Amino acid sequence: MPKEQCSIITIFGGSGDLARRKLYPSLYQLFRRGVLGEHFAVIGTARRPWTNEFYREIVAGSLENEPNTSADAVQRFASHFYYQSHDVTDADHYVTLKNLSNKLDEQYGAGGNRLFYMAMAPRFFGTIASHIRSEKLLSPSGYNRLIIEKPFGRDFASAKELNDSIGAAFNEDQIYRIDHYLGKEMVQGLLALRFTNPLLTPIWNKDYISDVQITLSENVGVEERAGYYETAGALRDMVQNHIMQLIAYVAMRQPDTFTPEAVHAAKNELFANLPVLTPEQAKRDWVRGQYVAAGDQPAYREEDGVASDSQIETYVAGRIMLSDSRWAGVPFYVRTGKRMPRKATEISINFKPLEHNIFDAVGCNEARSNRLTVFVEPEQGYTLTLNGKTMGSEYALRQDPLSFRYPQDKIDEAPEAYERLIQDALMGDQTNFTRWQEQDATWKYVDVVRQAWDDDAPLATYAAGSHGPAEADQLLERDGFKWAEEFD
Ligand code: NAD
């Protein structure tokens, strides 16, 4: 049983979608597992004038589809929740919040610990942080930590402004920037695969790897998020954060130890090796696309809330060449899109063929390169494809997949990404959160691509439900590669 965590957790945006869908269920599971015991209270804030009783009903209602609930446990859990009507721009409201926090701290024995969660639109983050500081909400005794949601800015300039504003109240070692992909089992598991297997660790470099492919596909369209998506697009929504973080876990050097400091040092070195693209390189190596109607699936421009002449990309594919000597010449191909054939996150590591194969000379040339594919979701596990001999007297080769998949019941039981990340924040472990230097480097890279597109670059189209535009296939064909067929 992990040590019980004591804290007063303040959620800005306690009536919102994120709080109901992710935060309350995650906190409940932490309560059920004893990570949160009795020494915690949650203050939910939002504009609406709710009572504690009504808020507790909302919290309990958000657990309806959660596994392992009982009426008694839900009621005990919800009794730790308090509601405070709050306008983020009103300084007096922060004084009320501070007094409530101090009172609850005494009541629950929270040890002076404070966890602030910004589950609101990012435009409020700076205001909240400056009021937290000016109205002295930070606790002088225990810890003070801030969890902050994506999007972390919409380009380098806005990300820096946001970072400076939260930095006025919190130090870097108190800031937990969420990228929920870092809370996924197989993303964390990737480090175990890479750094514990003598079979893999020594060959994880340009000498043995020909290319890396990362696919994050969704089969849904823009759903109810058109308002946000029309100002973001796939590059900002998926590449700057999730895809870049996956690249870091695939490509960073081995950290000296498995500590937050060592992992982030390795990631920083990697991101320092993101090249500075020229606009021409950006246009050559990045493809953007938008889905058009196919079958009964509408075009992006026909979705609710989308402009009929929208230029926003719902698909991105790119080729990243790291300027790191360990990866010289190894392309990292990435793609992400909406209305693709299925929802999946997969990472394929393609190994180089042997320079000399004794079977070639005798006409037995079916050997293929080895491939390791890590299935992040919905399947979770990995497959390593090896060459072997076909059974029988004839000498021919075949490819055999060695596959491991976590069984569905284990996946169902495992903590969800938000649950892991909130637990990490309560424990003070920043490993699976992003640091400012990572935001800095990835935004600078992505801004060049965005700018090149905005200046002048075609917006390709793809049929809804397809794999993406033909231009994305050409990106690989140009180098003599093709997208991993596992995804097909
Ligand atoms: P939402 O619109 O559902 O909720 C926003 C919350 O802010 C509500 O509780 C609202 O009452 C409160 N609020 C708005 N203006 C306020 C004001 N002036 N004073 C006090 N409270 C105010 O938004 P959401 O979907 O919960 O998203 C919250 C954040 O999380 C956003 O940054 C979003 O990008 C991010 N996020 C959300 C999801 C998700 O699944 N919903 C996923 C990833 C990231």
Coordinates of all heavy atoms in Angstrom, one line a residue, residues 176-238:
Y176 N 3.6 21.0 -12.6 CA 3.3 19.7 -13.2 C 2.5 19.9 -14.5 O 1.3 20.0 -14.4 CB 2.6 18.8 -12.2 CG 3.5 18.4 -11.0 CD1 3.8 19.4 -10.1 CD2 4.0 17.1 -10.9 CE1 4.7 19.0 -9.0 CE2 4.9 16.8 -9.9 CZ 5.2 17.8 -8.9 OH 6.0 17.5 -7.9
R177 N 3.2 20.0 -15.6 CA 2.5 20.2 -16.9 C 2.0 18.9 -17.4 O 2.9 18.0 -17.7 CB 3.4 20.9 -17.9 CG 3.8 22.3 -17.6 CD 4.7 22.9 -18.6 NE 5.4 24.1 -18.1 CZ 6.5 24.1 -17.3 NH1 7.0 22.9 -17.0 NH2 7.0 25.2 -16.8
I178 N 0.7 18.7 -17.6 CA 0.2 17.5 -18.0 C 0.4 17.2 -19.5 O 0.0 18.1 -20.3 CB -1.3 17.4 -17.7 CG1 -1.6 17.3 -16.2 CG2 -2.0 16.3 -18.5 CD1 -2.1 16.0 -15.7
D179 N 0.9 16.1 -19.9 CA 0.7 15.5 -21.2 C 0.3 14.1 -21.0 O 1.1 13.3 -20.6 CB 2.1 15.5 -22.0 CG 1.8 15.1 -23.4 OD1 1.1 14.1 -23.6 OD2 2.4 15.7 -24.4
H180 N -1.0 13.9 -21.1 CA -1.5 12.6 -20.6 C -1.0 11.4 -21.3 O -1.1 10.3 -20.8 CB -3.1 12.6 -20.6 CG -3.7 12.5 -21.9 ND1 -3.9 13.6 -22.8 CD2 -4.2 11.5 -22.6 CE1 -4.4 13.2 -23.9 NE2 -4.7 11.9 -23.8
Y181 N -0.3 11.6 -22.5 CA 0.3 10.4 -23.1 C 1.4 9.9 -22.2 O 1.7 8.7 -22.3 CB 0.9 10.8 -24.5 CG -0.2 10.6 -25.6 CD1 -1.3 11.5 -25.6 CD2 -0.1 9.6 -26.5 CE1 -2.3 11.3 -26.5 CE2 -1.1 9.4 -27.4 CZ -2.2 10.2 -27.4 OH -3.2 10.0 -28.3
L182 N 2.0 10.8 -21.4 CA 3.1 10.3 -20.5 C 2.6 9.5 -19.4 O 3.3 8.9 -18.6 CB 3.9 11.5 -20.0 CG 4.7 12.3 -21.1 CD1 5.4 13.5 -20.5 CD2 5.7 11.4 -21.8
G183 N 1.2 9.5 -19.2 CA 0.6 8.7 -18.2 C 0.2 7.3 -18.7 O -0.4 6.5 -18.0
K184 N 0.4 7.1 -20.0 CA -0.1 5.8 -20.6 C 0.9 4.7 -20.3 O 2.1 4.9 -20.3 CB -0.3 6.0 -22.1 CG -1.5 6.9 -22.4 CD -1.7 6.9 -23.9 CE -2.8 8.0 -24.3 NZ -4.1 7.7 -23.9
E185 N 0.3 3.5 -20.0 CA 1.1 2.4 -19.6 C 2.2 2.1 -20.5 O 3.4 1.9 -20.2 CB 0.2 1.1 -19.5 CG 0.8 -0.2 -19.2 CD 1.3 -0.2 -17.7 OE1 0.6 0.1 -16.8 OE2 2.5 -0.6 -17.5
M186 N 1.9 2.0 -21.8 CA 3.0 1.5 -22.8 C 4.0 2.6 -23.1 O 5.1 2.3 -23.6 CB 2.3 1.0 -24.1 CG 1.7 -0.4 -23.9 SD 2.7 -1.6 -23.1 CE 4.1 -1.7 -24.2
V187 N 3.6 3.9 -22.8 CA 4.6 4.9 -23.0 C 5.6 4.8 -21.9 O 6.8 4.9 -22.1 CB 3.9 6.3 -23.1 CG1 5.0 7.4 -23.1 CG2 3.0 6.4 -24.3
Q188 N 5.1 4.6 -20.7 CA 6.1 4.4 -19.6 C 6.8 3.1 -19.8 O 8.0 3.0 -19.5 CB 5.3 4.4 -18.2 CG 4.6 5.7 -18.0 CD 3.9 5.9 -16.7 OE1 3.8 4.9 -15.9 NE2 3.4 7.0 -16.4
G189 N 6.1 2.1 -20.3 CA 6.7 0.8 -20.6 C 7.8 0.8 -21.6 O 8.7 -0.1 -21.6
L190 N 7.8 1.8 -22.5 CA 8.8 1.9 -23.5 C 10.2 2.0 -22.9 O 11.1 1.5 -23.4 CB 8.4 3.1 -24.4 CG 9.3 3.4 -25.6 CD1 9.2 2.3 -26.6 CD2 8.7 4.7 -26.3
L191 N 10.3 2.8 -21.8 CA 11.6 2.9 -21.2 C 12.1 1.6 -20.6 O 13.3 1.3 -20.7 CB 11.5 4.0 -20.1 CG 11.0 5.4 -20.5 CD1 11.2 6.4 -19.4 CD2 11.8 5.9 -21.7
A192 N 11.2 0.8 -20.1 CA 11.6 -0.5 -19.6 C 12.1 -1.4 -20.8 O 13.1 -2.0 -20.7 CB 10.4 -1.2 -18.9
L193 N 11.4 -1.4 -21.9 CA 11.8 -2.1 -23.1 C 13.2 -1.7 -23.5 O 14.0 -2.5 -23.8 CB 10.8 -1.9 -24.2 CG 9.6 -2.8 -24.4 CD1 8.8 -2.4 -25.6 CD2 10.0 -4.2 -24.5
R194 N 13.3 -0.4 -23.6 CA 14.6 0.1 -24.2 C 15.8 -0.1 -23.3 O 16.9 -0.4 -23.7 CB 14.5 1.7 -24.4 CG 13.7 2.1 -25.6 CD 14.0 3.6 -25.9 NE 15.4 3.9 -26.0 CZ 15.9 5.1 -26.0 NH1 15.2 6.1 -25.8 NH2 17.2 5.2 -26.1
F195 N 15.6 0.1 -21.9 CA 16.7 0.2 -21.1 C 17.0 -1.1 -20.2 O 17.8 -1.0 -19.3 CB 16.6 1.4 -20.2 CG 16.6 2.7 -21.0 CD1 15.6 3.7 -20.9 CD2 17.6 2.9 -22.0 CE1 15.6 4.8 -21.7 CE2 17.6 4.1 -22.8 CZ 16.6 5.0 -22.6
T196 N 16.2 -2.1 -20.4 CA 16.5 -3.3 -19.6 C 16.8 -4.6 -20.4 O 17.0 -5.6 -19.9 CB 15.3 -3.7 -18.7 OG1 14.2 -4.0 -19.5 CG2 14.9 -2.5 -17.7
N197 N 16.7 -4.4 -21.8 CA 16.9 -5.6 -22.6 C 18.2 -5.5 -23.4 O 18.4 -4.8 -24.3 CB 15.8 -5.7 -23.6 CG 14.5 -6.1 -22.9 OD1 14.4 -7.1 -22.3 ND2 13.5 -5.2 -23.0
P198 N 19.2 -6.4 -23.0 CA 20.5 -6.4 -23.7 C 20.3 -6.7 -25.2 O 21.1 -6.3 -26.0 CB 21.2 -7.6 -23.0 CG 20.5 -7.8 -21.7 CD 19.1 -7.4 -21.9
L199 N 19.1 -7.3 -25.5 CA 18.8 -7.6 -26.9 C 18.6 -6.3 -27.7 O 18.8 -6.2 -28.9 CB 17.6 -8.4 -27.0 CG 17.1 -9.1 -28.2 CD1 18.1 -10.2 -28.6 CD2 15.7 -9.7 -28.0
L200 N 18.0 -5.3 -27.0 CA 17.6 -4.0 -27.7 C 18.6 -2.8 -27.4 O 18.9 -2.1 -28.3 CB 16.2 -3.6 -27.2 CG 15.1 -4.5 -27.6 CD1 13.8 -4.1 -27.0 CD2 15.0 -4.6 -29.2
T201 N 19.0 -2.7 -26.1 CA 19.7 -1.5 -25.7 C 20.9 -1.2 -26.6 O 21.1 0.0 -27.1 CB 20.1 -1.6 -24.2 OG1 19.0 -1.9 -23.5 CG2 20.7 -0.3 -23.7
P202 N 21.8 -2.2 -26.9 CA 23.0 -1.8 -27.7 C 22.7 -1.5 -29.1 O 23.6 -0.9 -29.8 CB 23.8 -3.1 -27.6 CG 23.1 -4.0 -26.7 CD 21.7 -3.6 -26.5
I203 N 21.5 -1.9 -29.6 CA 21.3 -1.7 -31.1 C 20.3 -0.5 -31.3 O 19.9 -0.3 -32.4 CB 20.8 -3.0 -31.8 CG1 19.5 -3.4 -31.2 CG2 21.8 -4.1 -31.7 CD1 18.8 -4.5 -32.0
W204 N 20.0 0.2 -30.3 CA 19.0 1.3 -30.4 C 19.7 2.6 -30.9 O 19.8 3.6 -30.2 CB 18.4 1.5 -29.0 CG 17.0 2.1 -29.1 CD1 16.7 3.4 -29.0 CD2 15.8 1.4 -29.1 NE1 15.3 3.6 -29.1 CE2 14.7 2.3 -29.1 CE3 15.4 0.0 -29.2 CZ2 13.4 2.0 -29.2 CZ3 14.1 -0.3 -29.3 CH2 13.1 0.7 -29.3
N205 N 20.1 2.6 -32.1 CA 20.9 3.7 -32.7 C 20.9 3.6 -34.2 O 20.4 2.7 -34.8 CB 22.3 3.8 -32.1 CG 23.0 2.5 -32.4 OD1 23.1 2.0 -33.5 ND2 23.6 1.9 -31.3
K206 N 21.5 4.6 -34.8 CA 21.6 4.7 -36.3 C 22.2 3.5 -37.0 O 22.0 3.3 -38.2 CB 22.2 6.0 -36.7 CG 23.7 6.1 -36.4 CD 24.4 7.3 -37.0 CE 25.9 7.3 -36.9 NZ 26.5 6.9 -35.7
D207 N 23.1 2.8 -36.3 CA 23.8 1.7 -36.9 C 22.9 0.6 -37.2 O 23.1 -0.2 -38.1 CB 25.0 1.2 -36.0 CG 26.0 2.3 -35.8 OD1 26.1 3.2 -36.8 OD2 26.7 2.3 -34.8
Y208 N 21.8 0.5 -36.4 CA 20.9 -0.7 -36.6 C 19.5 -0.3 -36.9 O 18.7 -1.2 -37.3 CB 20.9 -1.5 -35.3 CG 22.3 -2.1 -35.0 CD1 23.2 -1.5 -34.2 CD2 22.7 -3.3 -35.6 CE1 24.5 -2.0 -34.0 CE2 23.9 -3.9 -35.4 CZ 24.8 -3.2 -34.6 OH 26.1 -3.7 -34.4
I209 N 19.1 0.9 -36.7 CA 17.7 1.3 -37.0 C 17.7 2.1 -38.2 O 18.5 3.1 -38.4 CB 17.2 2.1 -35.8 CG1 17.0 1.2 -34.6 CG2 15.8 2.7 -36.1 CD1 16.6 1.8 -33.3
S210 N 16.8 1.8 -39.1 CA 16.7 2.5 -40.4 C 15.7 3.7 -40.3 O 16.0 4.7 -40.8 CB 16.2 1.5 -41.5 OG 14.9 1.1 -41.3
D211 N 14.6 3.5 -39.6 CA 13.6 4.5 -39.5 C 12.7 4.2 -38.3 O 12.5 3.0 -37.9 CB 12.8 4.7 -40.8 CG 12.0 3.6 -41.2 OD1 12.5 2.5 -41.4 OD2 10.7 3.7 -41.1
V212 N 12.0 5.3 -37.9 CA 11.1 5.1 -36.8 C 9.7 5.7 -37.3 O 9.8 6.7 -38.0 CB 11.6 5.9 -35.5 CG1 10.5 5.9 -34.4 CG2 12.9 5.3 -35.0
Q213 N 8.6 5.1 -36.9 CA 7.3 5.6 -37.3 C 6.4 5.7 -36.1 O 6.3 4.7 -35.4 CB 6.7 4.7 -38.4 CG 7.6 4.5 -39.6 CD 7.0 3.7 -40.7 OE1 5.8 3.4 -40.7 NE2 7.8 3.3 -41.7
I214 N 5.7 6.8 -36.0 CA 4.8 7.0 -34.9 C 3.5 7.4 -35.5 O 3.4 8.4 -36.3 CB 5.3 8.1 -34.0 CG1 6.7 7.6 -33.4 CG2 4.3 8.4 -32.9 CD1 7.3 8.6 -32.4
T215 N 2.4 6.7 -35.2 CA 1.1 6.9 -35.6 C 0.2 7.2 -34.5 O 0.1 6.4 -33.5 CB 0.5 5.7 -36.4 OG1 1.3 5.5 -37.6 CG2 -0.9 6.0 -36.9
L216 N -0.5 8.3 -34.5 CA -1.6 8.6 -33.5 C -2.8 8.9 -34.3 O -3.0 10.0 -34.8 CB -1.3 9.9 -32.7 CG -0.5 9.7 -31.4 CD1 0.9 9.2 -31.6 CD2 -0.5 11.0 -30.6
S217 N -3.7 7.9 -34.4 CA -4.9 8.1 -35.3 C -6.1 8.1 -34.5 O -6.2 7.4 -33.5 CB -4.9 7.1 -36.4 OG -5.1 5.8 -35.8
E218 N -7.1 8.8 -35.0 CA -8.4 8.8 -34.4 C -9.4 8.5 -35.5 O -9.2 8.9 -36.6 CB -8.8 10.2 -33.8 CG -7.9 10.7 -32.7 CD -8.3 12.1 -32.2 OE1 -7.8 13.0 -32.9 OE2 -9.0 12.2 -31.2
N219 N -10.5 7.8 -35.1 CA -11.5 7.5 -36.1 C -12.6 8.6 -36.1 O -13.4 8.7 -37.0 CB -12.0 6.1 -36.1 CG -12.6 5.7 -34.8 OD1 -12.4 6.5 -33.8 ND2 -13.1 4.5 -34.6
V220 N -12.7 9.3 -35.0 CA -13.7 10.3 -34.8 C -13.4 11.6 -35.6 O -12.2 11.8 -35.9 CB -14.0 10.6 -33.4 CG1 -14.6 9.4 -32.6 CG2 -12.8 11.2 -32.7
G221 N -14.4 12.4 -35.8 CA -14.1 13.7 -36.4 C -13.8 14.7 -35.3 O -13.3 14.4 -34.2
V222 N -14.2 16.0 -35.5 CA -13.9 17.0 -34.6 C -14.8 17.0 -33.4 O -14.6 17.7 -32.4 CB -13.8 18.4 -35.3 CG1 -15.2 18.8 -35.7 CG2 -13.1 19.4 -34.5
E223 N -15.9 16.3 -33.4 CA -16.9 16.2 -32.3 C -17.3 17.6 -31.9 O -17.6 18.4 -32.7 CB -16.3 15.3 -31.2 CG -16.0 13.9 -31.6 CD -15.5 13.0 -30.5 OE1 -14.3 13.3 -30.1 OE2 -16.2 12.1 -30.1
E224 N -17.4 17.8 -30.5 CA -17.9 19.1 -30.1 C -16.8 20.1 -29.9 O -17.0 21.1 -29.3 CB -18.6 18.9 -28.7 CG -19.9 18.1 -28.7 CD -19.5 16.6 -28.6 OE1 -18.6 16.3 -27.9 OE2 -20.2 15.8 -29.2
R225 N -15.6 19.8 -30.4 CA -14.5 20.7 -30.1 C -14.1 21.6 -31.2 O -13.0 22.1 -31.2 CB -13.3 19.8 -29.7 CG -13.4 19.0 -28.5 CD -12.2 18.0 -28.3 NE -11.0 18.7 -27.9 CZ -9.8 18.4 -28.4 NH1 -9.7 17.5 -29.3 NH2 -8.7 19.1 -28.0
A226 N -15.1 21.9 -32.1 CA -14.7 22.7 -33.3 C -14.2 24.1 -32.9 O -13.3 24.6 -33.5 CB -15.9 22.8 -34.2
G227 N -14.8 24.7 -31.8 CA -14.4 26.0 -31.4 C -12.9 26.1 -31.1 O -12.2 27.0 -31.6
Y228 N -12.4 25.1 -30.4 CA -11.0 25.0 -30.1 C -10.2 24.5 -31.3 O -9.2 25.2 -31.6 CB -10.8 24.0 -28.9 CG -9.4 23.5 -28.8 CD1 -8.3 24.3 -28.4 CD2 -9.1 22.1 -29.1 CE1 -7.0 23.8 -28.4 CE2 -7.8 21.6 -29.1 CZ -6.8 22.5 -28.7 OH -5.5 22.0 -28.6
Y229 N -10.7 23.5 -32.0 CA -9.9 22.9 -33.0 C -9.7 23.9 -34.2 O -8.6 23.9 -34.8 CB -10.6 21.6 -33.5 CG -9.6 20.7 -34.1 CD1 -8.8 19.9 -33.4 CD2 -9.5 20.5 -35.5 CE1 -7.9 19.0 -33.9 CE2 -8.6 19.6 -36.1 CZ -7.8 18.9 -35.3 OH -6.9 18.0 -35.8
E230 N -10.6 24.7 -34.5 CA -10.5 25.7 -35.5 C -9.4 26.7 -35.3 O -8.9 27.3 -36.2 CB -11.8 26.5 -35.7 CG -12.8 25.7 -36.6 CD -12.5 25.8 -38.1 OE1 -13.0 26.8 -38.7 OE2 -11.9 24.9 -38.6
T231 N -9.0 26.8 -34.0 CA -7.9 27.8 -33.7 C -6.6 27.0 -33.5 O -5.5 27.6 -33.3 CB -8.1 28.6 -32.4 OG1 -8.2 27.6 -31.3 CG2 -9.4 29.4 -32.5
A232 N -6.7 25.7 -33.5 CA -5.5 24.9 -33.2 C -5.0 24.1 -34.4 O -4.0 24.4 -35.1 CB -5.8 23.9 -32.1
G233 N -5.8 23.0 -34.8 CA -5.3 22.1 -35.9 C -4.4 21.0 -35.3 O -4.0 21.1 -34.2
A234 N -4.2 20.0 -36.1 CA -3.5 18.8 -35.7 C -2.1 19.1 -35.2 O -1.6 18.4 -34.3 CB -3.6 17.7 -36.8
L235 N -1.4 20.0 -35.9 CA 0.0 20.2 -35.6 C 0.1 20.7 -34.1 O 0.9 20.2 -33.4 CB 0.6 21.3 -36.5 CG 2.1 21.6 -36.4 CD1 2.9 20.4 -36.8 CD2 2.4 22.8 -37.2
R236 N -0.7 21.7 -33.8 CA -0.6 22.2 -32.4 C -1.2 21.2 -31.4 O -0.8 21.1 -30.3 CB -1.4 23.5 -32.3 CG -0.8 24.7 -33.0 CD -1.5 26.0 -32.6 NE -0.9 27.2 -33.1 CZ -1.4 27.8 -34.2 NH1 -2.5 27.4 -34.8 NH2 -0.8 28.9 -34.6
D237 N -2.3 20.6 -31.8 CA -3.1 19.8 -30.9 C -2.4 18.5 -30.6 O -2.5 18.0 -29.4 CB -4.5 19.4 -31.6 CG -5.4 18.8 -30.6 OD1 -5.4 19.2 -29.4 OD2 -6.2 17.9 -31.0
M238 N -1.6 17.9 -31.5 CA -1.0 16.6 -31.3 C 0.5 16.5 -31.4 O 1.1 15.7 -30.8 CB -1.6 15.6 -32.3 CG -3.2 15.5 -32.2 SD -3.7 14.8 -30.6 CE -3.6 13.1 -31.0

